[in-house]
Amino acid sequence: MMMSRGGPKAAKSLLTAVGPRLFSTTTTTIRTISSHEALSASHLLKPDVASTWIWTRAPTIGGMRFASTITLGEKTPTKEEDANQKKTENESTGGDAAGGNNKGDKGIASYWGVEPNKITKEDGSEWKWNCFRPWETYKADLTIDLKKHHVPTTFLDRLAYWTVKSLRWPTDLFFQRRYGCRAMMLETVAAVPGMVGGMLLHCKSLRRFEQSGGWIKALLEEAENERMHLMTFMEVAKPKWYERALVITVQGVFFNAYFLGYLISPKFAHRMVGYLEEEAIHSYTEFLKELDKGNIENVPAPAIAIDYWRLPADATLRDVVIVVRADEAHHRDVNHFASDIHYQGRELKEAPAPIGYH
């Protein structure tokens, strides 16, 4: 009974004492103690840590005052340190992924220690590409046989062959003789199988605790090479908005279809890519014919193509098409070879992967 009677009196006394502080309509105010006062007060708290007290009056919803200490874990930077920080930010500015253009953007500053490497060419000039490095460049093997063809013999071979042939008809209808845009569309599709195959082999290697015989790297190399084809033709053919929309649609459908096809039958998937590369060789051969006839202007080769394939400085679009066609012939051989391995009842890891096969 004494507790019940004393409770209201205690509550009333408490509200009388702190009511103005709990229920106030005063707007929020903040007072920060000066650094000199904070330093003096910090000796009372902890000798080696400087702290400041911030007093605030909360709005009515918050309901009460509170005090907080902000630990100043780092000392105030001096003018010399500020200058060094600004210098680091300026030096960390790098080129973009396509052309290494410095447009005055402020460099990315970080204390993680991941600094951009300063890479130079063999002649000592600055390397301006971030999307590939000098040691990833090569001279295309132009001696490869472009006329090789795998004659379909089994049901899956015929299915793969006619699937590719059926895809060629709408492509011819849409692009006609616009081989620059046609090449751009082709590369957005051709760069998918290597990535999907490499990803699935990577997951399989993790599940089974086994090595892949280098095929993961080989297939990812193929995907990267095809992507570089696209980066090159993007400099030649500027896609329109509806062509970009078509790329998104085709890539979304093809990625998922190929993903399921590879899960069901890798030998069918690789065989189809082999036939797809044969069609690519045919398309680039027609591209060269149009260039030779003068129907397509033989413009100077993009700078990215000159550095990637180590072409001469005066290389033209025709030189680019020739080396790209040679790349497609190598991809044709790799995928037909991978399909043959599966047809023989073996796994890819049992055969050394053709890493660096260009």
Side-chain angles (χ1 to χ4, degrees):
M1 292 294 292
M2 292 183 66
M3 290 291 293
S4 60
R5 292 178 181 177
K9 293 182 178 180
K12 183 177 180 181
S13 301
L14 181 61
L15 290 175
T16 302
V18 301
R21 296 186 180 185
L22 285 175
F23 306 100
S24 173
T25 57
T26 306
T27 57
T28 303
T29 58
I30 300 177
R31 177 181 180 274
T32 305
I33 299 176
S34 66
S35 58
H36 177 73
E37 293 172 337
L39 186 61
S40 301
S42 65
H43 294 292
L44 301 176
L45 299 175
K46 192 175 181 181
D48 57 344
V49 178
S51 304
T52 59
W53 286 82
I54 296 179
W55 287 89
T56 66
R57 181 185 293 273
T60 306
I61 298 176
M64 62 182 299
R65 290 183 177 181
F66 61 93
S68 172
T69 58
I70 301 178
T71 303
L72 304 179
E74 297 181 358
K75 62 181 182 180
T76 303
T78 63
K79 293 182 178 180
E80 182 179 354
E81 291 173 340
D82 286 339
N84 292 335
Q85 176 67 16
K86 292 180 180 179
K87 182 179 179 182
T88 302
E89 292 177 358
N90 293 332
E91 291 178 349
S92 64
T93 303
D96 60 17
N101 298 323
N102 188 343
K103 300 180 180 179
D105 294 337
K106 192 175 181 180
I108 301 175
S110 173
Y111 68 92
W112 296 107
V114 183
E115 298 293 337
N117 296 326
K118 297 294 183 181
I119 303 175
T120 58
K121 297 183 181 179
E122 295 178 355
D123 59 2
S125 59
E126 183 180 358
W127 182 260
K128 60 181 180 179
W129 309 106
N130 288 336
C131 53
F132 65 100
R133 296 294 189 246
W135 52 85
E136 297 173 339
T137 63
Y138 63 95
K139 285 184 174 293
D141 177 18
L142 304 181
T143 62
I144 190 169
D145 187 358
L146 300 173
K147 297 181 179 180
K148 278 185 179 180
H149 169 65
H150 180 275
V151 180
T153 55
T154 67
F155 170 76
L156 286 180
D157 282 356
R158 295 188 183 93
L159 179 61
Y161 179 78
W162 288 111
T163 298
V164 173
K165 284 296 184 181
S166 65
L167 293 175
R168 179 180 171 180
W169 179 80
T171 305
D172 291 342
L173 183 64
F174 184 82
F175 290 105
Q176 301 293 327
R177 293 289 178 178
R178 295 181 296 128
Y179 285 100
C181 295
R182 184 191 187 104
M184 178 201 64
M185 172 62 72
L186 177 65
E187 299 303 341
T188 61
V189 173
V192 170
M195 180 60 66
V196 172
M199 175 185 67
L200 291 176
L201 287 180
H202 174 76
C203 294
K204 180 180 179 181
S205 176
L206 297 178
R207 290 195 310 270
R208 296 189 177 183
F209 304 96
E210 62 185 18
Q211 49 87 19
S212 68
W215 279 93
I216 296 174
K217 186 174 182 179
L219 293 178
L220 293 181
E221 276 185 353
E222 176 187 316
E224 174 64 13
N225 183 247
E226 297 284 11
R227 192 184 67 85
M228 289 304 299
H229 293 175
L230 175 62
M231 296 298 103
T232 298
F233 285 112
M234 285 289 292
E235 300 294 323
V236 178
K238 303 299 182 182
K240 299 179 175 60
W241 69 267
Y242 58 85
E243 291 173 333
R244 290 179 178 271
L246 182 63
V247 166
I248 295 174
T249 303
V250 172
Q251 188 184 80
V253 173
F254 183 75
F255 179 92
N256 290 284
Y258 189 80
F259 180 86
L260 292 175
Y262 202 99
L263 285 176
I264 296 171
S265 176
K267 58 185 174 183
F268 164 77
H270 282 294
R271 187 69 78 201
M272 190 182 75
V273 176
Y275 288 130
L276 184 65
E277 300 295 354
E278 290 182 15
E279 289 298 324
I281 295 171
H282 173 76
S283 295
Y284 285 118
T285 300
E286 293 297 315
F287 197 163
L288 287 173
K289 290 179 180 179
E290 293 297 310
L291 284 168
D292 293 338
K293 292 178 182 178
N295 296 331
I296 299 177
E297 184 181 0
N298 190 22
V299 298
I304 189 172
I306 292 176
D307 284 341
Y308 184 70
W309 283 286
R310 301 178 188 175
L311 297 173
D314 58 348
T316 63
L317 177 59
R318 189 179 191 279
D319 299 318
V320 174
V321 175
I322 289 175
V323 295
V324 170
R325 183 178 63 172
D327 285 349
E328 305 295 5
H330 286 83
H331 300 328
R332 170 203 64 191
D333 295 349
V334 169
N335 282 277
H336 279 315
F337 173 54
S339 183
D340 289 344
I341 294 173
H342 285 292
Y343 265 106
Q344 296 172 21
R346 313 287 288 275
E347 293 191 13
L348 293 182
K349 66 176 184 179
E350 299 179 46
I355 298 176
Y357 181 68
H358 296 296

